[in-house]
Amino acid sequence: MKRVLLASAVCLTVLLACGCWDRTEVNDLALVMAAAIDKKEGNRIELSVEIFLPRSQRGGGISGMGGEQGGAKGGGKATLVRSAEGVNIADALARLQEEVPRKIRWGHCKVYIFGEETAKAGIFEKVDFFQRHPEVRTRAYVYVSKGNASRILEVLPPLERDSGEVIRELSKLHVGMGVTILDLKQMLRGEGGAVALPMVDILSPRKGQHELETAPYLFGTAVFKKDKMIGRITQNETRGVMWLKNEIRNATVTVKEEEFEGSVSFHQIRATTKLTPKIERGKWKMHVEVKAEGDMVQNGTVLNPVRPEILGKMEKAFKDEIQNQLETALRTVQKKMKADIFGFAEEFHRKYPKQWHQVKDQWDDVYPKVEVTIDIKAHIRSPGAATHPAGIPEQEVKQE
């Protein structure tokens, strides 16, 4: 028994001693927070990475910049940007590793940005790297930048730790479309053969502000056919796309009508969109049903929203503004660009598999001709805490 216990103790000690044989110290890692891919001459690409600097948390300013930068405590720079060229991302990464004295680790990277020229040339090969690399997070967000993507990483925003964190937080707030690597792979494999990615640019610096002391922002959407970018749409058109894709969250809708003699703003608190495909007498149709609820957050008119007839008019204006955003998006994306970023193809395939396979190869011709009908039910849940417009004498408030 003693021998058995002794042998067990020795084995346990050996196992415990070998438990961390393959560990890597944090001090030996270069944690990538964001990455940018730009097109260079000769079909080469430039990979730029934003690396977290843990030492910056102890302080130390940026030479020539002054003040706190990049959200680091004590005025230290929070990230470092390094770049390298290669024939593809893997090649560029290998060359980049030769210049960085720590092991580059992708597990913390939450933002990937394609330069505009890269997006126009095609992103299939780049996405293949994301799919195969074991460290890449499928929940990381993907964007397209106006111009070169690397310049987005160079920005040192005053509020967040780094520029990648700024645009990631904007996506979480649903300011624009939020597309992850997983979403992107699904869209590329989708029946419609179209992709939509949010676009990012840099705010112009204010007077007296250093050009790097600004911040990135989302300003629209890049539209792809297959894996190549064919154009971009505005932020207003993006809102229509988000309504159609059932991605609207926490939106504010402002309407201005001559009849109101002012503007009214509603904060949308609940919204759902349902797509119902139909094939009738050989015609392909899509019925869009939208249900929206909102609270009135500002009344810039002289009308009393408590009165049912006035509230009904405001609800109609709320509905008309949503319909206008939907129709604007359909005109641009369906009729002009002919890119099925709404997912119509998947809906028809799901409900009419036999008919879908008959037109699958001609979908680019069928899709622009799909008849879209829109049914919107908009309800103002509350006119707010005030009963009549603020700052206006009660006798001047219109009751009809």
PDB file of all heavy atoms in Angstrom, residues 53-79:
ATOM      1  N   LEU A  53      -0.614  48.193 -26.253  1.00  0.00           N
ATOM      2  CA  LEU A  53       0.605  48.488 -25.510  1.00  0.00           C
ATOM      3  C   LEU A  53       0.300  48.508 -24.013  1.00  0.00           C
ATOM      4  O   LEU A  53      -0.159  49.518 -23.485  1.00  0.00           O
ATOM      5  CB  LEU A  53       1.177  49.848 -25.927  1.00  0.00           C
ATOM      6  CG  LEU A  53       1.680  49.977 -27.367  1.00  0.00           C
ATOM      7  CD1 LEU A  53       2.169  51.388 -27.628  1.00  0.00           C
ATOM      8  CD2 LEU A  53       2.793  48.976 -27.643  1.00  0.00           C
ATOM      9  N   PRO A  54       0.541  47.414 -23.304  1.00  0.00           N
ATOM     10  CA  PRO A  54       0.233  47.396 -21.873  1.00  0.00           C
ATOM     11  C   PRO A  54       1.063  48.368 -21.058  1.00  0.00           C
ATOM     12  O   PRO A  54       0.610  48.894 -20.048  1.00  0.00           O
ATOM     13  CB  PRO A  54       0.528  45.942 -21.473  1.00  0.00           C
ATOM     14  CG  PRO A  54       1.454  45.425 -22.517  1.00  0.00           C
ATOM     15  CD  PRO A  54       1.065  46.124 -23.778  1.00  0.00           C
ATOM     16  N   ARG A  55       2.299  48.666 -21.509  1.00  0.00           N
ATOM     17  CA  ARG A  55       3.151  49.577 -20.748  1.00  0.00           C
ATOM     18  C   ARG A  55       2.602  50.991 -20.716  1.00  0.00           C
ATOM     19  O   ARG A  55       2.906  51.771 -19.829  1.00  0.00           O
ATOM     20  CB  ARG A  55       4.562  49.602 -21.349  1.00  0.00           C
ATOM     21  CG  ARG A  55       5.354  48.333 -21.087  1.00  0.00           C
ATOM     22  CD  ARG A  55       6.741  48.464 -21.647  1.00  0.00           C
ATOM     23  NE  ARG A  55       6.714  48.701 -23.098  1.00  0.00           N
ATOM     24  CZ  ARG A  55       7.787  48.984 -23.813  1.00  0.00           C
ATOM     25  NH1 ARG A  55       8.962  49.087 -23.225  1.00  0.00           N
ATOM     26  NH2 ARG A  55       7.701  49.166 -25.111  1.00  0.00           N
ATOM     27  N   SER A  56       1.754  51.335 -21.732  1.00  0.00           N
ATOM     28  CA  SER A  56       1.213  52.702 -21.806  1.00  0.00           C
ATOM     29  C   SER A  56       0.308  53.017 -20.640  1.00  0.00           C
ATOM     30  O   SER A  56       0.063  54.167 -20.318  1.00  0.00           O
ATOM     31  CB  SER A  56       0.429  52.883 -23.111  1.00  0.00           C
ATOM     32  OG  SER A  56      -0.749  52.103 -23.096  1.00  0.00           O
ATOM     33  N   GLN A  57      -0.233  51.973 -19.971  1.00  0.00           N
ATOM     34  CA  GLN A  57      -1.140  52.213 -18.861  1.00  0.00           C
ATOM     35  C   GLN A  57      -0.432  52.834 -17.672  1.00  0.00           C
ATOM     36  O   GLN A  57      -1.054  53.324 -16.747  1.00  0.00           O
ATOM     37  CB  GLN A  57      -1.816  50.899 -18.437  1.00  0.00           C
ATOM     38  CG  GLN A  57      -2.527  50.184 -19.584  1.00  0.00           C
ATOM     39  CD  GLN A  57      -3.575  51.061 -20.238  1.00  0.00           C
ATOM     40  OE1 GLN A  57      -4.412  51.630 -19.568  1.00  0.00           O
ATOM     41  NE2 GLN A  57      -3.522  51.192 -21.557  1.00  0.00           N
ATOM     42  N   ARG A  58       0.923  52.780 -17.684  1.00  0.00           N
ATOM     43  CA  ARG A  58       1.658  53.366 -16.567  1.00  0.00           C
ATOM     44  C   ARG A  58       1.992  54.822 -16.819  1.00  0.00           C
ATOM     45  O   ARG A  58       2.611  55.474 -15.988  1.00  0.00           O
ATOM     46  CB  ARG A  58       2.953  52.582 -16.345  1.00  0.00           C
ATOM     47  CG  ARG A  58       2.731  51.152 -15.940  1.00  0.00           C
ATOM     48  CD  ARG A  58       3.976  50.577 -15.303  1.00  0.00           C
ATOM     49  NE  ARG A  58       5.107  50.544 -16.223  1.00  0.00           N
ATOM     50  CZ  ARG A  58       5.410  49.498 -16.976  1.00  0.00           C
ATOM     51  NH1 ARG A  58       4.656  48.411 -16.941  1.00  0.00           N
ATOM     52  NH2 ARG A  58       6.458  49.529 -17.765  1.00  0.00           N
ATOM     53  N   GLY A  59       1.589  55.349 -17.996  1.00  0.00           N
ATOM     54  CA  GLY A  59       1.816  56.763 -18.247  1.00  0.00           C
ATOM     55  C   GLY A  59       2.859  56.976 -19.321  1.00  0.00           C
ATOM     56  O   GLY A  59       3.365  56.058 -19.943  1.00  0.00           O
ATOM     57  N   GLY A  60       3.226  58.247 -19.508  1.00  0.00           N
ATOM     58  CA  GLY A  60       4.194  58.579 -20.552  1.00  0.00           C
ATOM     59  C   GLY A  60       3.488  59.147 -21.748  1.00  0.00           C
ATOM     60  O   GLY A  60       2.708  58.483 -22.381  1.00  0.00           O
ATOM     61  N   GLY A  61       3.739  60.428 -22.071  1.00  0.00           N
ATOM     62  CA  GLY A  61       3.020  61.086 -23.151  1.00  0.00           C
ATOM     63  C   GLY A  61       3.571  60.723 -24.505  1.00  0.00           C
ATOM     64  O   GLY A  61       4.563  60.025 -24.648  1.00  0.00           O
ATOM     65  N   ILE A  62       2.939  61.257 -25.523  1.00  0.00           N
ATOM     66  CA  ILE A  62       3.353  61.028 -26.899  1.00  0.00           C
ATOM     67  C   ILE A  62       4.152  62.232 -27.358  1.00  0.00           C
ATOM     68  O   ILE A  62       3.684  63.372 -27.287  1.00  0.00           O
ATOM     69  CB  ILE A  62       2.137  60.840 -27.821  1.00  0.00           C
ATOM     70  CG1 ILE A  62       1.280  59.703 -27.300  1.00  0.00           C
ATOM     71  CG2 ILE A  62       2.568  60.570 -29.232  1.00  0.00           C
ATOM     72  CD1 ILE A  62       0.002  59.569 -28.047  1.00  0.00           C
ATOM     73  N   SER A  63       5.332  61.995 -27.797  1.00  0.00           N
ATOM     74  CA  SER A  63       6.191  63.082 -28.223  1.00  0.00           C
ATOM     75  C   SER A  63       5.564  63.861 -29.359  1.00  0.00           C
ATOM     76  O   SER A  63       5.174  63.306 -30.377  1.00  0.00           O
ATOM     77  CB  SER A  63       7.557  62.512 -28.661  1.00  0.00           C
ATOM     78  OG  SER A  63       8.385  63.540 -29.154  1.00  0.00           O
ATOM     79  N   GLY A  64       5.475  65.175 -29.152  1.00  0.00           N
ATOM     80  CA  GLY A  64       4.942  66.031 -30.194  1.00  0.00           C
ATOM     81  C   GLY A  64       3.442  66.101 -30.250  1.00  0.00           C
ATOM     82  O   GLY A  64       2.898  66.894 -30.999  1.00  0.00           O
ATOM     83  N   MET A  65       2.731  65.265 -29.484  1.00  0.00           N
ATOM     84  CA  MET A  65       1.282  65.245 -29.544  1.00  0.00           C
ATOM     85  C   MET A  65       0.686  66.009 -28.373  1.00  0.00           C
ATOM     86  O   MET A  65      -0.244  66.779 -28.534  1.00  0.00           O
ATOM     87  CB  MET A  65       0.761  63.807 -29.537  1.00  0.00           C
ATOM     88  CG  MET A  65       1.140  63.006 -30.764  1.00  0.00           C
ATOM     89  SD  MET A  65       0.379  63.643 -32.245  1.00  0.00           S
ATOM     90  CE  MET A  65      -1.325  63.254 -31.923  1.00  0.00           C
ATOM     91  N   GLY A  66       1.204  65.785 -27.173  1.00  0.00           N
ATOM     92  CA  GLY A  66       0.696  66.491 -26.004  1.00  0.00           C
ATOM     93  C   GLY A  66      -0.641  65.974 -25.565  1.00  0.00           C
ATOM     94  O   GLY A  66      -1.473  65.567 -26.345  1.00  0.00           O
ATOM     95  N   GLY A  67      -0.883  65.981 -24.255  1.00  0.00           N
ATOM     96  CA  GLY A  67      -2.189  65.581 -23.737  1.00  0.00           C
ATOM     97  C   GLY A  67      -2.384  64.081 -23.794  1.00  0.00           C
ATOM     98  O   GLY A  67      -1.513  63.317 -24.185  1.00  0.00           O
ATOM     99  N   GLU A  68      -3.584  63.633 -23.368  1.00  0.00           N
ATOM    100  CA  GLU A  68      -3.901  62.219 -23.365  1.00  0.00           C
ATOM    101  C   GLU A  68      -4.320  61.771 -24.743  1.00  0.00           C
ATOM    102  O   GLU A  68      -5.077  62.445 -25.425  1.00  0.00           O
ATOM    103  CB  GLU A  68      -5.024  61.931 -22.357  1.00  0.00           C
ATOM    104  CG  GLU A  68      -4.588  62.170 -20.931  1.00  0.00           C
ATOM    105  CD  GLU A  68      -5.609  61.647 -19.946  1.00  0.00           C
ATOM    106  OE1 GLU A  68      -6.593  61.027 -20.391  1.00  0.00           O
ATOM    107  OE2 GLU A  68      -5.412  61.845 -18.746  1.00  0.00           O
ATOM    108  N   GLN A  69      -3.833  60.610 -25.156  1.00  0.00           N
ATOM    109  CA  GLN A  69      -4.138  60.091 -26.477  1.00  0.00           C
ATOM    110  C   GLN A  69      -4.620  58.658 -26.375  1.00  0.00           C
ATOM    111  O   GLN A  69      -4.159  57.906 -25.528  1.00  0.00           O
ATOM    112  CB  GLN A  69      -2.901  60.141 -27.385  1.00  0.00           C
ATOM    113  CG  GLN A  69      -2.349  61.540 -27.596  1.00  0.00           C
ATOM    114  CD  GLN A  69      -3.319  62.427 -28.302  1.00  0.00           C
ATOM    115  OE1 GLN A  69      -4.115  61.970 -29.102  1.00  0.00           O
ATOM    116  NE2 GLN A  69      -3.283  63.699 -28.027  1.00  0.00           N
ATOM    117  N   GLY A  70      -5.518  58.289 -27.263  1.00  0.00           N
ATOM    118  CA  GLY A  70      -5.912  56.907 -27.395  1.00  0.00           C
ATOM    119  C   GLY A  70      -6.583  56.312 -26.187  1.00  0.00           C
ATOM    120  O   GLY A  70      -6.690  55.104 -26.054  1.00  0.00           O
ATOM    121  N   GLY A  71      -7.054  57.136 -25.264  1.00  0.00           N
ATOM    122  CA  GLY A  71      -7.795  56.646 -24.121  1.00  0.00           C
ATOM    123  C   GLY A  71      -6.929  55.982 -23.074  1.00  0.00           C
ATOM    124  O   GLY A  71      -7.440  55.391 -22.129  1.00  0.00           O
ATOM    125  N   ALA A  72      -5.594  56.071 -23.151  1.00  0.00           N
ATOM    126  CA  ALA A  72      -4.734  55.430 -22.165  1.00  0.00           C
ATOM    127  C   ALA A  72      -4.640  56.257 -20.915  1.00  0.00           C
ATOM    128  O   ALA A  72      -4.685  57.475 -20.942  1.00  0.00           O
ATOM    129  CB  ALA A  72      -3.341  55.207 -22.751  1.00  0.00           C
ATOM    130  N   LYS A  73      -4.491  55.595 -19.763  1.00  0.00           N
ATOM    131  CA  LYS A  73      -4.385  56.292 -18.494  1.00  0.00           C
ATOM    132  C   LYS A  73      -3.030  56.979 -18.425  1.00  0.00           C
ATOM    133  O   LYS A  73      -2.021  56.453 -18.836  1.00  0.00           O
ATOM    134  CB  LYS A  73      -4.532  55.303 -17.332  1.00  0.00           C
ATOM    135  CG  LYS A  73      -5.897  54.644 -17.280  1.00  0.00           C
ATOM    136  CD  LYS A  73      -5.960  53.640 -16.147  1.00  0.00           C
ATOM    137  CE  LYS A  73      -7.305  52.938 -16.115  1.00  0.00           C
ATOM    138  NZ  LYS A  73      -7.372  51.921 -15.043  1.00  0.00           N
ATOM    139  N   GLY A  74      -3.030  58.170 -17.848  1.00  0.00           N
ATOM    140  CA  GLY A  74      -1.789  58.888 -17.654  1.00  0.00           C
ATOM    141  C   GLY A  74      -1.232  59.490 -18.920  1.00  0.00           C
ATOM    142  O   GLY A  74      -0.109  59.954 -18.946  1.00  0.00           O
ATOM    143  N   GLY A  75      -1.992  59.516 -20.022  1.00  0.00           N
ATOM    144  CA  GLY A  75      -1.542  60.176 -21.241  1.00  0.00           C
ATOM    145  C   GLY A  75      -0.707  59.297 -22.145  1.00  0.00           C
ATOM    146  O   GLY A  75      -0.117  59.780 -23.090  1.00  0.00           O
ATOM    147  N   GLY A  76      -0.576  57.994 -21.866  1.00  0.00           N
ATOM    148  CA  GLY A  76       0.221  57.124 -22.707  1.00  0.00           C
ATOM    149  C   GLY A  76      -0.536  56.662 -23.928  1.00  0.00           C
ATOM    150  O   GLY A  76      -1.749  56.525 -23.906  1.00  0.00           O
ATOM    151  N   LYS A  77       0.202  56.400 -24.996  1.00  0.00           N
ATOM    152  CA  LYS A  77      -0.407  55.868 -26.214  1.00  0.00           C
ATOM    153  C   LYS A  77      -0.834  54.432 -25.968  1.00  0.00           C
ATOM    154  O   LYS A  77      -0.055  53.612 -25.474  1.00  0.00           O
ATOM    155  CB  LYS A  77       0.598  55.951 -27.353  1.00  0.00           C
ATOM    156  CG  LYS A  77       0.033  55.591 -28.715  1.00  0.00           C
ATOM    157  CD  LYS A  77       1.101  55.758 -29.779  1.00  0.00           C
ATOM    158  CE  LYS A  77       0.561  55.384 -31.143  1.00  0.00           C
ATOM    159  NZ  LYS A  77       1.604  55.493 -32.186  1.00  0.00           N
ATOM    160  N   ALA A  78      -2.079  54.098 -26.304  1.00  0.00           N
ATOM    161  CA  ALA A  78      -2.627  52.780 -25.970  1.00  0.00           C
ATOM    162  C   ALA A  78      -2.296  51.713 -26.990  1.00  0.00           C
ATOM    163  O   ALA A  78      -2.311  50.524 -26.675  1.00  0.00           O
ATOM    164  CB  ALA A  78      -4.140  52.874 -25.804  1.00  0.00           C
ATOM    165  N   THR A  79      -2.013  52.104 -28.227  1.00  0.00           N
ATOM    166  CA  THR A  79      -1.759  51.116 -29.281  1.00  0.00           C
ATOM    167  C   THR A  79      -0.596  51.536 -30.171  1.00  0.00           C
ATOM    168  O   THR A  79      -0.205  52.705 -30.213  1.00  0.00           O
ATOM    169  CB  THR A  79      -3.009  50.922 -30.168  1.00  0.00           C
ATOM    170  OG1 THR A  79      -3.413  52.194 -30.708  1.00  0.00           O
ATOM    171  CG2 THR A  79      -4.144  50.302 -29.380  1.00  0.00           C
TER     172      THR A  79
END
